[in-house]
Amino acid sequence: MAAVNGPSNALDPGNAARSTLKLENTEKRDTLITIEKRYQRQWQESGVFNATAPTTTEIPAGSASKDLHQKHPKYFGTFAYPYMNGTLHAGHSFTASKVEYTAGFSRMQGNRVLFPLGFHCTGMPIKACADKLTEDVRKFGQNFEKYKEEQQVDGDESALAPTQAETKEDITKFTSKKSKAAAKGVKLKYQFQIMLALGIPKGEIHRFADANYWLEYFPPLCKRDMNNFGARIDWRRSFVTTDANPYHDTFVRWQMNRLKELNKIQYGSRYTIYSPKDGQPCMDHDRTEGEGVAPQEYTAMKLKVKEWAPEAAKVVEGKIPDSANVYFVPATLRPETMYGQTCCFVGPKIDYGVFKVSENEYFVITKRAAWNMAFQDTFFKNGRFPRDASELMPIVELTGTSVIGTLVNAPLSLHKEGIRILPMETVSPTKGTGVVTSVPSDSPDDYATVTDLAKKADYYGIKKEWAELEILPIVETPSYGNLTAPFLVKKMKINSPKDTKLLADAKDLAYKEGYYKGTMLVGDFKGEPVEAAKPKVRAQLLQSGDALEYAEPNGHVVSRSADECVVAYLGQWFLNYGENDPEWRDQVLDYVRNDMETYSSETKNGFEKNLEWLNRWACARTYGLGSKLPWEPKFLVESLSDSTIYMAYYTIAHFLHSDNFGTQPGILSIKPSQMLDEVWDYIFCRREISESLLASSGISRSDLETMRREFEYWYPLDQRISGKDLIPNHLTFFLYIHTALFPRDYWPRAIRANGHLMLNGEKMSKSTGNFLTLNDAVTKYGADATRIALADAGDGVEDANFEEAVANQIILRMYTLKEWCEDILKDASLRTSTSSASTTLWDKLFLNEMHTLVHQAHTHYTSTDYKVALKSALYDFTSTRDFYREASLAASTPMSLPLIRTYITLQALLITPIAPHWADYIYQEVLHSKTTIQNAQWPQVPLPDPSLTAIYDYIRTTSSAITSAEGQQVKRKSKGKAMNYDPEQPKRLTIYIATSFPSWQSRYIDLVKTFHAKAALEDKALNAEVGRMGESKKAMPFVQALKKRLQNGEDAGDVFQRKLAFEEVEVLEQMLRGLRKTVGKCRGVEVVSVEEGHEEGKKVGRIERSEGEDVGKVGDERGLLGAAEMAVPGGPTFYFENV
């Protein structure tokens, strides 16, 4: 047993979460989880989340979709169906939660809501893992009993290879640098070890050697986890992909047939990332490293050897025919600059090979580059690829040092006598061909290197003149002249080739300026913009035979079968995305720019950039799981091509089958063989019904109309929520295929992209123990605490953060709030009267503030800003309850029972989208509702009263200022600083209120009036103007207060006349008793009114004092202190003094 499990902690399923928060006392959590389980069972048993469209009996078939949606509004939302090679982690639940909250809120808006979920199984990952397990079982036995400990490998996470060099090479291409697969977890040598780390029982692991077993095992766990999360999912519509489900298989085959008929799928040769081991293209979802990496196309120059360096000449003598042409082959992205070649670089420590292209042609490149070229018709012709590296051996091997000094002819170079091979320490053996041609006029790296070589010729063992060929102008730029590289190197004070950061910045500047603004100074395209000349120069070089096309991955790519991938040029079926079908591309671009909701400019920009560079996409493979390509069954549809419009399948899946695999009939008892392409066309509104369709399919007219009704009601998809890393592939494909196959009325309405989820402020990682599965989170914190913490994590496209401390605090908050709701309704001391005469100011303020928060929460839920919705719906809502409770206590007035019941009802309703279990418990078991809160509607409450809002803000602001000031004095005393009074001794509080506004404010009233008239209160120009007027220290708070009153809905006339929305003295009278209780050792509180220019004020209103304390009477005059001068109406000041 020990040998099987090994000593590594990496094999312990709990090890992935070892660094997460440890809980101690779980009694409150367990109580809440018990409640959650009860309501989850109730929801599932009642089928409350099972959504249906209006029947054709309710609204006849043929009615327009717009009419359907007007009479019966709906919400249809999805997130990317999870891949079934493991259980869901917290990141899945973060994306799912956005659909969850929206679905819950949409239900409360009176919409019919559909939130379905299927299970993605297409592609290589499952099959590759199953094949690895087959080999593990063969090696070690069914239960891996033959495995020895010494074969255990370190479970630490290995360093990840970067997907690109530090400097982006081709600025004309948009790339995604994020590699999800590469970022995941622990490196373990054997697949059975990975399964152990996933928590699979050892005795069951061998069953996963059958790829189909994965499809049986993981979907139920996904369903379990989402149910435990409280997801509002209609599980009747679930399915697995691949031909394991024959109904879904017909759907995918229909999709591919129609795309081919529309000429959106074509066959041709193109560059693609390719796995030599698997013998097929390796697309994004087939990779363990390098997701998002694409082929980088180069122009490979052929620099013919004119004279070998002496050492190299000895090595090649007799091994290459004297008549043969040998070429150094540098790969460049800037063919238009080749006129300026002055030398060619090799890495002195790099090993090169001389590879035979034909009887009379040989290339000097690295073995890695040769291996890539082997799949591009360079060394092997007619589409034949080598099986392994043994088929591609160099004729002779050379070190970089040995070839230094070799004279070569550089095509297009103005130095016709030839240029030399020179050393460059920074040449990378894993990028390009390991040979780099030098254009010091336009490449800062090259200029810095040749300058260094010329200075230290003896050190490098070269002749100085080799590095001093004249640098000739090739491109004219407006910013840097006609010698861009020398200009930037000198301007940026780059002193050495080792100044890598500065050189990278200079390279970026040089390339952008040259490409977008440069003009050719030499060659056949002299006078043309570089952007136009570049492809022409390249075409000329290729046509003349002075260069060849070459491509390689622009980052490190490893397939699921652990094979390092190359770029192959091969014939394949591809989806014709991009520039080759500009009408299709522009149609999608126009829709993104003008019609589709993306919620953020970052998301929209991501789509626009991706659509501008995305090109053809291989849509078929020969290895893995999936549906067969209808017209060439030896191929399977790849995973990013069968997952573009499956949302449409959700709409009718329950009619076809009642289980994931389609083995049990659905509601309509239709067989897979009846689902002809023409049937799918009718369902998806691409054709009308006909007698021939009825006859060929054998499906009744009513059943066909029922399925079509379901599609045309639920479509278009209202909201697609996915991680931002899917914009470069899945989400863009999703838009392309929808626009190709469906009428415009059925195109997706909105895509919301979210960031990745961090855990406790750090990237989730199994190797560091900072990792939670969804099951871990819900087991540890309960569903509602997990959901609230996810809502609190963030909403934008930037990475969000799930804080376990927040989840833990939420347990206490929700438990305490539950207990309070239960207990307070039993409190016999509460007032039961509902008459207006018994209503206090505190009652009015409490009710008004609840109305304010109901409207605020509605606004935030509508805009899908869940973090701020949570603030209004929970944090601020409980805060206003606390205000009411404390104010009532201070006033010695019992709280109102009807008002408390209103509060509890509203609290349950407002938090329902985010924390439905807690809400339903309160709704049914505390408030004794007869129905589930899942069917409750959003509360309809009056708009808040601006005068009550103003009073509420006044009370909170004034109370906070007084208690904060007292707290500051306590701090000063603790630090031994001078004080105006001793806060720990008996004291009196004097509050100064102003009877009129200071005259200086008139100027700012007029200013705010002007901006208000232009509806420009939020304009930065207003603040700038306040600053320009020279009194910003006192004016800015005043202006902000005016803005707030206007934004709260107060009448503009009252605001600009500087008329308060309430009687300040009356409000202060209500506050006095509470203030005296709040302020420590307070012997009395008095209110003094002051007038501008007067030296004395008058005591006004009721005076709150302790027994026997003489603070005078109303009307008495009182000498004014400095604090009185700062008082304004609605902005009192105050003064403490010891008594």
Side-chain angles (χ1 to χ4, degrees), residues 1107-1122:
E1107 188 68 30
E1109 180 72 19
D1110 180 15
V1111 292
K1113 61 183 183 295
V1114 173
D1116 285 352
E1117 291 189 347
R1118 180 74 183 266
L1120 300 181
L1121 299 170

PDB file of all heavy atoms in Angstrom, residues 1107-1122:
ATOM      1  N   GLU A1107     -29.962  64.950  35.932  1.00  0.00           N
ATOM      2  CA  GLU A1107     -30.685  65.432  37.108  1.00  0.00           C
ATOM      3  C   GLU A1107     -29.826  66.428  37.876  1.00  0.00           C
ATOM      4  O   GLU A1107     -28.687  66.129  38.225  1.00  0.00           O
ATOM      5  CB  GLU A1107     -31.054  64.245  38.008  1.00  0.00           C
ATOM      6  CG  GLU A1107     -31.972  64.616  39.171  1.00  0.00           C
ATOM      7  CD  GLU A1107     -33.358  65.029  38.727  1.00  0.00           C
ATOM      8  OE1 GLU A1107     -33.819  64.516  37.673  1.00  0.00           O
ATOM      9  OE2 GLU A1107     -33.979  65.854  39.393  1.00  0.00           O
ATOM     10  N   GLY A1108     -30.342  67.631  38.138  1.00  0.00           N
ATOM     11  CA  GLY A1108     -29.632  68.625  38.932  1.00  0.00           C
ATOM     12  C   GLY A1108     -28.639  69.447  38.139  1.00  0.00           C
ATOM     13  O   GLY A1108     -28.027  70.369  38.671  1.00  0.00           O
ATOM     14  N   GLU A1109     -28.475  69.156  36.871  1.00  0.00           N
ATOM     15  CA  GLU A1109     -27.487  69.893  36.065  1.00  0.00           C
ATOM     16  C   GLU A1109     -28.129  71.150  35.478  1.00  0.00           C
ATOM     17  O   GLU A1109     -29.148  71.089  34.795  1.00  0.00           O
ATOM     18  CB  GLU A1109     -26.977  69.002  34.915  1.00  0.00           C
ATOM     19  CG  GLU A1109     -25.952  69.671  34.008  1.00  0.00           C
ATOM     20  CD  GLU A1109     -24.613  69.834  34.691  1.00  0.00           C
ATOM     21  OE1 GLU A1109     -24.356  69.136  35.702  1.00  0.00           O
ATOM     22  OE2 GLU A1109     -23.821  70.642  34.220  1.00  0.00           O
ATOM     23  N   ASP A1110     -27.557  72.296  35.732  1.00  0.00           N
ATOM     24  CA  ASP A1110     -28.123  73.558  35.261  1.00  0.00           C
ATOM     25  C   ASP A1110     -27.409  73.986  33.978  1.00  0.00           C
ATOM     26  O   ASP A1110     -26.241  74.362  33.993  1.00  0.00           O
ATOM     27  CB  ASP A1110     -27.959  74.640  36.324  1.00  0.00           C
ATOM     28  CG  ASP A1110     -28.555  75.972  35.860  1.00  0.00           C
ATOM     29  OD1 ASP A1110     -29.325  75.942  34.873  1.00  0.00           O
ATOM     30  OD2 ASP A1110     -28.229  77.003  36.485  1.00  0.00           O
ATOM     31  N   VAL A1111     -28.133  73.884  32.865  1.00  0.00           N
ATOM     32  CA  VAL A1111     -27.559  74.351  31.603  1.00  0.00           C
ATOM     33  C   VAL A1111     -28.386  75.485  31.012  1.00  0.00           C
ATOM     34  O   VAL A1111     -28.326  75.784  29.833  1.00  0.00           O
ATOM     35  CB  VAL A1111     -27.467  73.188  30.580  1.00  0.00           C
ATOM     36  CG1 VAL A1111     -26.459  72.178  31.020  1.00  0.00           C
ATOM     37  CG2 VAL A1111     -28.839  72.550  30.368  1.00  0.00           C
ATOM     38  N   GLY A1112     -29.161  76.121  31.885  1.00  0.00           N
ATOM     39  CA  GLY A1112     -29.947  77.248  31.410  1.00  0.00           C
ATOM     40  C   GLY A1112     -31.262  76.811  30.794  1.00  0.00           C
ATOM     41  O   GLY A1112     -31.676  75.667  30.914  1.00  0.00           O
ATOM     42  N   LYS A1113     -31.893  77.782  30.094  1.00  0.00           N
ATOM     43  CA  LYS A1113     -33.205  77.486  29.494  1.00  0.00           C
ATOM     44  C   LYS A1113     -33.236  78.010  28.067  1.00  0.00           C
ATOM     45  O   LYS A1113     -32.380  78.789  27.633  1.00  0.00           O
ATOM     46  CB  LYS A1113     -34.315  78.119  30.322  1.00  0.00           C
ATOM     47  CG  LYS A1113     -34.261  79.634  30.437  1.00  0.00           C
ATOM     48  CD  LYS A1113     -35.374  80.131  31.329  1.00  0.00           C
ATOM     49  CE  LYS A1113     -35.370  81.668  31.385  1.00  0.00           C
ATOM     50  NZ  LYS A1113     -34.158  82.172  32.017  1.00  0.00           N
ATOM     51  N   VAL A1114     -34.251  77.545  27.347  1.00  0.00           N
ATOM     52  CA  VAL A1114     -34.430  77.986  25.967  1.00  0.00           C
ATOM     53  C   VAL A1114     -34.566  79.497  25.922  1.00  0.00           C
ATOM     54  O   VAL A1114     -35.294  80.109  26.724  1.00  0.00           O
ATOM     55  CB  VAL A1114     -35.669  77.311  25.352  1.00  0.00           C
ATOM     56  CG1 VAL A1114     -35.954  77.909  23.982  1.00  0.00           C
ATOM     57  CG2 VAL A1114     -35.463  75.819  25.264  1.00  0.00           C
ATOM     58  N   GLY A1115     -33.861  80.113  24.999  1.00  0.00           N
ATOM     59  CA  GLY A1115     -33.916  81.557  24.848  1.00  0.00           C
ATOM     60  C   GLY A1115     -32.755  82.268  25.491  1.00  0.00           C
ATOM     61  O   GLY A1115     -32.489  83.438  25.187  1.00  0.00           O
ATOM     62  N   ASP A1116     -32.074  81.614  26.429  1.00  0.00           N
ATOM     63  CA  ASP A1116     -30.900  82.236  27.040  1.00  0.00           C
ATOM     64  C   ASP A1116     -29.841  82.516  25.988  1.00  0.00           C
ATOM     65  O   ASP A1116     -29.643  81.724  25.059  1.00  0.00           O
ATOM     66  CB  ASP A1116     -30.304  81.315  28.110  1.00  0.00           C
ATOM     67  CG  ASP A1116     -31.150  81.308  29.388  1.00  0.00           C
ATOM     68  OD1 ASP A1116     -32.088  82.123  29.462  1.00  0.00           O
ATOM     69  OD2 ASP A1116     -30.845  80.486  30.270  1.00  0.00           O
ATOM     70  N   GLU A1117     -29.178  83.632  26.131  1.00  0.00           N
ATOM     71  CA  GLU A1117     -28.062  83.927  25.246  1.00  0.00           C
ATOM     72  C   GLU A1117     -26.817  83.209  25.735  1.00  0.00           C
ATOM     73  O   GLU A1117     -26.642  82.987  26.924  1.00  0.00           O
ATOM     74  CB  GLU A1117     -27.814  85.439  25.175  1.00  0.00           C
ATOM     75  CG  GLU A1117     -28.945  86.166  24.455  1.00  0.00           C
ATOM     76  CD  GLU A1117     -28.598  87.602  24.186  1.00  0.00           C
ATOM     77  OE1 GLU A1117     -27.605  88.089  24.762  1.00  0.00           O
ATOM     78  OE2 GLU A1117     -29.287  88.228  23.364  1.00  0.00           O
ATOM     79  N   ARG A1118     -25.968  82.858  24.764  1.00  0.00           N
ATOM     80  CA  ARG A1118     -24.762  82.092  25.111  1.00  0.00           C
ATOM     81  C   ARG A1118     -23.596  82.642  24.305  1.00  0.00           C
ATOM     82  O   ARG A1118     -23.695  82.822  23.079  1.00  0.00           O
ATOM     83  CB  ARG A1118     -24.973  80.595  24.784  1.00  0.00           C
ATOM     84  CG  ARG A1118     -23.794  79.705  25.101  1.00  0.00           C
ATOM     85  CD  ARG A1118     -23.649  79.483  26.617  1.00  0.00           C
ATOM     86  NE  ARG A1118     -22.475  78.693  26.884  1.00  0.00           N
ATOM     87  CZ  ARG A1118     -22.493  77.368  27.023  1.00  0.00           C
ATOM     88  NH1 ARG A1118     -23.619  76.710  26.912  1.00  0.00           N
ATOM     89  NH2 ARG A1118     -21.379  76.718  27.309  1.00  0.00           N
ATOM     90  N   GLY A1119     -22.505  82.943  24.985  1.00  0.00           N
ATOM     91  CA  GLY A1119     -21.330  83.410  24.269  1.00  0.00           C
ATOM     92  C   GLY A1119     -20.829  82.350  23.288  1.00  0.00           C
ATOM     93  O   GLY A1119     -20.901  81.149  23.564  1.00  0.00           O
ATOM     94  N   LEU A1120     -20.324  82.751  22.111  1.00  0.00           N
ATOM     95  CA  LEU A1120     -19.926  81.819  21.066  1.00  0.00           C
ATOM     96  C   LEU A1120     -18.439  81.520  21.126  1.00  0.00           C
ATOM     97  O   LEU A1120     -17.629  82.394  21.408  1.00  0.00           O
ATOM     98  CB  LEU A1120     -20.283  82.386  19.691  1.00  0.00           C
ATOM     99  CG  LEU A1120     -21.774  82.674  19.466  1.00  0.00           C
ATOM    100  CD1 LEU A1120     -21.992  83.206  18.065  1.00  0.00           C
ATOM    101  CD2 LEU A1120     -22.613  81.423  19.705  1.00  0.00           C
ATOM    102  N   LEU A1121     -18.112  80.281  20.841  1.00  0.00           N
ATOM    103  CA  LEU A1121     -16.732  79.843  20.738  1.00  0.00           C
ATOM    104  C   LEU A1121     -16.364  79.683  19.265  1.00  0.00           C
ATOM    105  O   LEU A1121     -17.220  79.721  18.369  1.00  0.00           O
ATOM    106  CB  LEU A1121     -16.545  78.533  21.505  1.00  0.00           C
ATOM    107  CG  LEU A1121     -16.844  78.636  23.018  1.00  0.00           C
ATOM    108  CD1 LEU A1121     -16.864  77.257  23.640  1.00  0.00           C
ATOM    109  CD2 LEU A1121     -15.814  79.524  23.714  1.00  0.00           C
ATOM    110  N   GLY A1122     -15.085  79.406  18.997  1.00  0.00           N
ATOM    111  CA  GLY A1122     -14.603  79.318  17.604  1.00  0.00           C
ATOM    112  C   GLY A1122     -15.349  78.296  16.770  1.00  0.00           C
ATOM    113  O   GLY A1122     -15.567  78.483  15.571  1.00  0.00           O
TER     114      GLY A1122
END
